[in-house]
């Protein structure tokens, strides 16, 4: 039996997040997008909520959200507190609903992501290779109506970096990389030819964004998916050791390929500066180290000299952003949930998660509502097949471990 209200709600929520930073929506849309998307998904799931299972890892997601909201409230900035409530609500709802999806619903959602990726690729071609003014100004521009032409750092200055409706090249590359992982590893009934064609086109989309880390993330996610597909032949520890080594090797190769340019590359030196600032961050007051400083608190850390900067207030590292926002407690909760998800996920799920984690080393994807929601949804999917959960159905025992 299809849960149509839930499926329709997810489609609309996904569409809102996909274009929330685009000129297609008014300027206030990006501020209310997480709340609207979260409410849509919650409303769509209401008829089925009594039968929902709540994975034990949901406690950690709830702890992460609680610390995030409490730290934002403690900052004294009402706007950030309200935003953190809506963002945290979206994270938790995405995780919980995904943990209760059925295989056919997962397949349909993956097909939705691929359709959106193909549309984004068409927009990317129009704004870069063809350079259509109408696409740039009416579709791919940001909400202020401005389209920035950035020289492509991979293909060369003869073309610019695509940003699609997502609003910036790196998150668009992230979206293409997730689509690539899905089309390669998910069971969607595609022929070998169509699978290869879609994979090649999505990788070309990454090149159109001019995102070097996108190439590394795509390769890391493919390596992770391949390793997990052989999970029965190797121990989990060996698999994840290989994944980490492969990711480090890929990043190292990209650095060595362009070592001379990177020494004067502002984006590279900025990210290194942020990484080397961890020692300063842990010198904050103990309560801020443990529980974080709340949403957007990174800006004050730049101003106070805790974070190295090269003229931008972007952290460009998802892990450090979480450390700043939610402290050690929140970051550890996130890492434990992620570790559990990686240990139980299927090749397509793990491939997507590893791609996002790789991107987390180059930009703070947790601040991009589309990608944060997709990450928590993908983590939730990995728990949909586990047998340890809290059950909301009063006819079922509170904690079911009968098949564990």
């Amino acid at each position: 039996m299809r849960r149509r209200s839930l499926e329709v709600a997810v489609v609309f929520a996904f569409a809102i997040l996909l274009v929330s930073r685009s000129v297609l929506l008014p300027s206030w849309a990006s501020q209310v997008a997480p709340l609207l998307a979260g409410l849509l998904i919650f409303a769509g799931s209401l008829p089925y909520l009594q039968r929902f299972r709540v994975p034990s890892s949901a406690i950690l997601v709830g702890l992460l959200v609680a610390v995030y909201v409490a730290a934002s409230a403690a900052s004294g900035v009402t706007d950030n507190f309200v935003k953190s409530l809506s963002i945290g609500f979206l994270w938790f709802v995405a995780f919980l609903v995904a943990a209760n999806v059925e295989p056919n619903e997962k397949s349909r959602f993956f097909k939705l992501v691929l359709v959106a990726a193909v549309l984004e690729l068409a927009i990317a071609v129009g704004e870069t290779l063809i350079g259509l003014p109408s696409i740039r100004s009416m579709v791919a521009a940001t909400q202020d109506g401005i389209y920035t032409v950035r020289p492509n750092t991979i293909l060369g200055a003869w073309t610019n970096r695509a940003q699609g409706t997502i609003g910036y090249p790196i998150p668009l590359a992230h979206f293409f990389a997730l689509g690539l992982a899905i089309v390669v590893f998910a069971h969607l009934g595609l022929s070998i030819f169509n699978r290869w064609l879609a994979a090649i086109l999505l990788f070309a989309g990454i090149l159109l964004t001019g995102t070097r880390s996108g190439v590394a993330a795509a390769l890391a996610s493919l390596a992770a998916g391949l390793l997990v597909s052989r999970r029965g032949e190797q121990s989990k520890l060996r698999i994840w050791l290989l994944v980490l080594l492969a990711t480090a090797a890929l990043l190292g190769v990209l650095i060595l390929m362009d070592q001379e340019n990177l020494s004067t590359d502002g984006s590279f030196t900025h990210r290194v500066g942020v990484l080397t600032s961890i020692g300063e961050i842990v010198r904050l007051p103990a309560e801020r180290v443990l529980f974080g400083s709340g949403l957007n608190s990174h800006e004050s850390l730049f101003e106070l000299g805790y974070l190295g900067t090269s003229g931008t207030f972007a952290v460009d590292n998802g892990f450090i952003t979480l450390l700043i926002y939610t402290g050690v407690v929140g970051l550890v909760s996130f890492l434990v949930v992620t570790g559990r998800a990686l240990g139980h996920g299927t090749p397509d799920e793990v491939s997507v998660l590893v791609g996002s984690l790789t991107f987390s080393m180059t930009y703070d994807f947790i601040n991009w509502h589309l990608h944060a929601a997709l990450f928590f949804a993908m983590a939730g999917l990995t728990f949909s097949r586990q047998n340890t959960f809290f059950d909301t159905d009063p006819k079922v025992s509170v904690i079911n471990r009968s098949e564990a």
Side-chain angles (χ1 to χ4, degrees):
M1 178 178 171
R2 294 188 63 169
R3 300 184 287 185
R4 295 191 181 276
S5 67
L6 178 57
E7 292 182 9
V8 170
V10 168
V11 169
F12 277 99
F14 176 74
I16 289 171
L17 295 175
L18 190 66
V19 301
S20 63
R21 299 200 182 199
S22 167
V23 70
L24 293 170
L25 293 181
S27 58
W28 49 264
S30 62
Q31 304 297 320
V32 302
L35 177 61
L36 183 55
L39 288 175
L40 278 170
I41 298 172
F42 179 73
S45 64
L46 276 176
Y48 321 103
L49 204 57
Q50 188 176 16
R51 297 186 179 92
F52 269 21
R53 300 177 303 171
V54 182
S56 56
S57 290
I59 296 175
L60 292 174
V61 178
L63 176 61
L64 169 64
V65 170
V67 172
Y68 183 40
V69 173
S72 299
S75 70
V77 182
T78 304
D79 188 45
N80 287 338
F81 167 62
V82 174
K83 287 179 182 178
S84 69
L85 273 174
S86 61
I87 295 169
F89 178 67
L90 174 61
W91 293 356
F92 189 81
V93 168
F95 178 86
L96 181 60
V97 171
N100 285 274
V101 302
E102 299 170 357
N104 57 342
E105 293 172 326
K106 170 185 169 180
S107 177
R108 283 193 285 271
F109 178 70
F110 277 179
K111 289 177 181 178
L112 172 66
V113 173
L114 290 181
V115 169
V118 171
L119 291 175
E120 291 291 343
L121 179 60
I123 295 170
V125 170
E127 64 174 298
T128 58
L129 299 182
I130 302 176
L132 294 174
S134 57
I135 294 293
R136 291 180 173 181
S137 62
M138 299 175 63
V139 180
T142 52
Q143 289 174 329
D144 55 10
I146 297 174
Y147 182 87
T148 303
V149 177
R150 303 176 179 87
N152 193 303
T153 52
I154 296 178
L155 300 180
W158 60 273
T159 187
N160 64 296
R161 302 180 68 180
Q163 62 184 41
T165 65
I166 296 180
Y168 200 73
I170 299 178
L172 179 59
H174 189 165
F175 191 62
F176 286 144
L178 301 190
L180 176 62
I182 288 171
V183 81
V184 171
F185 294 108
H187 300 291
L188 302 176
L190 298 175
S191 67
I192 295 296
F193 174 79
N194 288 336
R195 193 183 293 269
W196 274 100
L197 177 61
I200 291 170
L201 289 175
L202 290 172
F203 189 79
I206 294 174
L207 298 181
L208 287 177
T209 68
T211 304
R212 292 166 294 192
S213 58
V215 177
L219 295 177
S221 66
L222 293 177
L226 289 172
L227 287 169
V228 173
S229 65
R230 300 178 58 192
R231 179 176 278 159
E233 305 172 27
Q234 304 180 54
S235 69
K236 290 182 181 179
L237 179 61
R238 181 179 298 180
I239 286 174
W240 294 118
L241 179 60
L242 289 173
V243 169
L244 291 173
L245 290 175
T247 303
L250 289 169
L251 292 173
V253 167
L254 288 177
I255 292 172
L256 291 174
M257 285 172 59
D258 204 12
Q259 191 172 20
E260 292 183 1
N261 290 334
L262 286 176
S263 63
T264 57
D265 187 333
S267 63
F268 178 77
T269 55
H270 169 72
R271 289 175 173 87
V272 172
V274 169
L275 280 172
T276 57
S277 300
I278 295 178
E280 295 297 322
I281 296 174
V282 297
R283 293 182 181 180
L284 288 166
E287 67 275 10
R288 296 182 67 180
V289 173
L290 286 175
F291 303 109
S293 306
L295 178 64
N296 291 330
S297 56
H298 62 288
E299 296 179 2
S300 64
L301 296 187
F302 277 114
E303 293 172 348
L304 295 173
Y306 283 96
L307 289 169
T309 180
S310 58
T312 175
F313 281 177
V315 176
D316 284 333
N317 187 298
F319 300 113
I320 295 179
T321 298
L322 274 176
L323 176 63
I324 294 171
Y325 287 1
T326 66
V328 173
V329 172
L331 179 60
V332 169
S333 299
F334 174 83
L335 292 176
V336 172
V337 171
T338 300
R340 288 182 177 180
L342 290 173
H344 292 89
T346 55
D348 49 0
E349 296 161 355
V350 169
S351 182
V352 169
L353 288 171
V354 169
S356 293
L357 292 172
T358 306
F359 267 109
S360 194
M361 295 299 296
T362 60
Y363 86 112
D364 40 0
F365 84 88
I366 209 73
N367 281 335
W368 291 78
H369 307 313
L370 170 68
H371 288 303
L374 285 174
F375 183 89
F376 282 102
M378 201 59 55
L381 277 175
T382 68
F383 294 101
S384 63
R385 296 171 300 278
Q386 294 187 35
N387 298 310
T388 300
F389 54 84
F390 298 94
D391 206 304
T392 58
D393 190 338
K395 297 178 181 179
V396 183
S397 59
V398 176
I399 300 181
N400 186 333
R401 301 176 188 268
S402 60
E403 300 177 10

